[in-house]
């Protein structure tokens, strides 16, 4: 049965102080310098393009009916930047802004359905997609000396703060989208939308203490997101306004699955490898009771997927330090785009390569 997660016994204020101390230790480390694009990463990026990027700059989700998402566009911008592929970056950005930009702000519609009468039928945004688009633009502006990119990334970051940050009880939270996630008694959150390695770039572009509050409270909430036998973070959770408790929503499968696998990726990427949630996820991935590393776990009854995780997820497991008793979860530290069964697995593999850099 569902095990609700309750606020930390030391209280939200002390929990936030602990999270702030963790973030401060990371922030005080020497900033990473941009690394030259490796031949391997460039080759992987061009393999990704050949499989999933259309000539006009649209990234195709081959495992989901050929749709496109702002998430995929943001990741592709990061890949092109890392590969030092300016023409590719410009094509991806051009399609993203031309097709997905919402009227009235600088955010982007979350989905494009190519065969629909109205391809962008839902103007709502996806916050992780906008974070990654802004992050890519800000880093591209600095690396390539492109003030227009910096200005656009700053405008998106400003709208993220303005439209997507809310106070819910004792916490500053990141809404998954501009509408549809605020309830009368709580707010729906997606733990995987906290793209921790991006927050530094956003905060430098739009200096505001709200970034620190959101990041710190995001860590606090992740420490409390413990469901099921392994104490895993869910794809989606409801944060109660009254007491700060976390429960599983009724309108999404109650799983640690395709969204939540990005939680350990972003924590490890940001240098937050000591966070307790990483240890809990590792314990799930290496549990000898499981015949293989499962693609998902049901957090209400501890049932696991009848099929193994994709190569992209096993690459995240290696990044997070997971080793199964019978050997590594995969033969390579990174997944290869050529081995990926679909867009999502390939994208996760490239994200892991970026995190390792």
């Amino acid at each position: 049965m569902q095990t609700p997660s309750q606020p930390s016994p030391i209280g939200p204020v002390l929990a936030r102080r602990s999270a702030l101390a963790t973030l401060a230790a990371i922030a005080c480390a020497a900033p990473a310098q941009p690394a030259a694009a490796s031949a391997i990463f460039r080759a992987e990026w061009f393999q990704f393009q050949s499989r999933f990027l259309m000539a006009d700059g649209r990234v195709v989700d081959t495992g989901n009916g050929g749709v496109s998402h702002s998430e995929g566009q943001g990741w592709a911008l990061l890949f092109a930047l890392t590969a030092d592929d300016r023409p590719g970056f410009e094509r991806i950005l051009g399609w993203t802004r031309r097709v997905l930009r919402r009227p009235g702000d600088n955010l982007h519609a979350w989905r494009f359905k190519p065969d629909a009468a109205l391809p962008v039928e839902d103007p709502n945004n996806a916050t992780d997609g906008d974070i990654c688009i802004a992050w890519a633009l800000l880093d591209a502006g600095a690396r390539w000396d492109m003030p227009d990119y910096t200005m656009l990334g700053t405008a998106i970051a400003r709208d993220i703060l303005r439209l997507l940050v809310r106070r819910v009880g004792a916490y500053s939270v990141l809404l998954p989208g501009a509408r549809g996630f605020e309830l009368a008694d709580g707010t729906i959150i997606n733990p995987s939308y906290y793209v921790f390695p991006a927050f530094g770039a956003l905060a430098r572009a739009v200096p505001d203490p709200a970034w620190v509050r959101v990041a710190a409270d995001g860590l606090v909430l992740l420490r409390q997101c413990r469901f099921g036998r392994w104490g895993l973070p869910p794809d989606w959770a409801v944060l109660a306004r009254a007491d700060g408790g976390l429960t599983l929503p009724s309108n999404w499968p109650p799983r640690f699955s395709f969204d939540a696998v990005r939680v350990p990726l972003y924590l490890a990427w940001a240098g937050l490898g000591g966070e307790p949630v990483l240890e809990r996820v590792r314990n799930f991935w290496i549990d000898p009771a499981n015949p293989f590393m499962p693609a998902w776990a049901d957090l209400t009854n501890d049932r696991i997927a009848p099929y193994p995780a994709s190569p992209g997820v096993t690459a995240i497991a290696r990044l997070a330090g997971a080793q199964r008793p019978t050997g590594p979860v995969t033969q390579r530290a990174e997944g290869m785009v050529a081995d990926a069964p679909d867009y999502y697995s390939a994208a996760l593999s490239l994200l892991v390569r970026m995190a390792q850099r």
Side-chain angles (χ1 to χ4, degrees):
M1 63 182 294
Q2 176 178 326
T3 304
S5 181
Q6 296 300 323
S8 166
I10 62 176
V13 173
L14 292 181
R16 186 178 295 110
R17 287 178 183 172
S18 171
L20 286 169
T22 301
L23 291 169
I26 299 300
C28 288
Q33 298 301 314
S38 70
I40 293 176
F41 190 92
R42 283 196 296 266
E44 286 293 283
W45 163 233
F46 286 109
Q47 173 75 3
F48 183 95
Q49 288 191 68
S50 70
R51 292 186 62 185
F52 310 112
L53 184 66
M54 298 189 69
D56 60 0
R58 181 170 79 89
V59 179
V60 179
D61 185 346
T62 57
N64 195 18
V67 304
S68 298
H69 305 279
S70 60
E71 156 205 282
Q73 298 302 123
W75 288 347
L77 289 171
L78 290 168
F79 301 155
L81 174 63
T82 303
D84 203 27
D85 176 14
R86 289 182 66 171
F89 189 97
E90 290 168 1
R91 282 191 295 125
I92 297 160
L93 180 62
W95 186 90
T96 304
R97 295 295 286 172
R98 184 174 66 254
V99 177
L100 297 183
R101 181 180 176 181
R102 287 158 38 107
D105 58 50
N106 284 286
L107 305 181
H108 300 83
W110 72 283
R111 184 177 63 183
F112 174 88
K113 298 173 70 174
D115 297 328
L118 186 63
V120 183
E121 60 185 354
D122 183 357
N124 206 18
N125 77 302
T127 299
D128 64 329
D130 283 311
I131 287 175
C132 289
I133 292 168
W135 181 20
L137 282 162
L138 293 167
D139 281 5
R143 181 176 302 181
W144 293 330
D145 191 23
M146 295 287 291
D148 287 350
Y149 287 170
T150 302
M151 290 176 59
L152 179 53
T154 300
I156 297 170
R158 188 175 292 115
D159 279 349
I160 291 170
L161 272 189
R162 181 172 66 92
L163 299 172
L164 302 171
V165 174
R166 293 288 189 275
R167 192 75 175 173
V168 181
Y171 301 100
S172 290
V173 301
L174 199 61
L175 294 178
R179 62 177 178 82
F181 297 98
E182 296 180 272
L183 312 175
D185 56 354
T187 296
I188 298 170
I189 63 171
N190 186 314
S192 74
Y193 282 20
Y194 285 79
V195 188
F196 288 102
F199 284 145
L202 303 182
R204 287 189 295 272
V206 184
D208 192 305
W211 294 115
V212 177
R213 291 194 297 269
V214 165
D217 286 354
L219 284 183
V220 173
L221 293 171
L222 278 176
R223 293 169 184 176
Q224 296 170 2
C225 266
R226 300 186 298 271
F227 292 91
R229 167 185 168 187
W230 296 277
L232 297 172
D235 292 338
W236 298 89
V238 179
L239 174 64
R241 295 185 186 279
D243 63 2
L246 291 162
T247 56
L248 299 173
S250 60
N251 51 338
W252 279 280
R255 291 177 178 175
F256 168 84
S257 66
F258 302 107
D259 276 19
V261 295
R262 302 197 300 263
V263 169
L265 166 65
Y266 291 142
L267 288 173
W269 191 342
L272 297 165
E275 284 299 301
V277 66
L278 273 171
E279 183 64 22
R280 300 195 297 268
V281 173
R282 280 194 292 264
N283 289 339
F284 166 66
W285 278 333
I286 67 174
D287 190 337
N290 298 329
F292 45 75
M293 196 176 81
W296 50 259
D298 187 304
L299 302 178
T300 60
N301 58 22
D302 300 324
R303 188 168 61 91
I304 62 171
Y307 53 90
S310 71
V313 176
T314 60
I316 295 175
R318 283 294 295 265
L319 178 70
Q323 298 272 339
R324 287 183 62 80
T326 55
V329 294
T330 183
Q331 294 299 310
R332 287 186 283 252
E334 311 91 354
M336 303 291 288
V337 170
D339 297 336
D342 54 32
Y343 142 82
Y344 191 59
S345 178
L348 293 181
S349 296
L350 280 178
L351 290 169
V352 168
R353 289 182 179 274
M354 289 187 63
Q356 290 173 326
R357 286 160 55 87

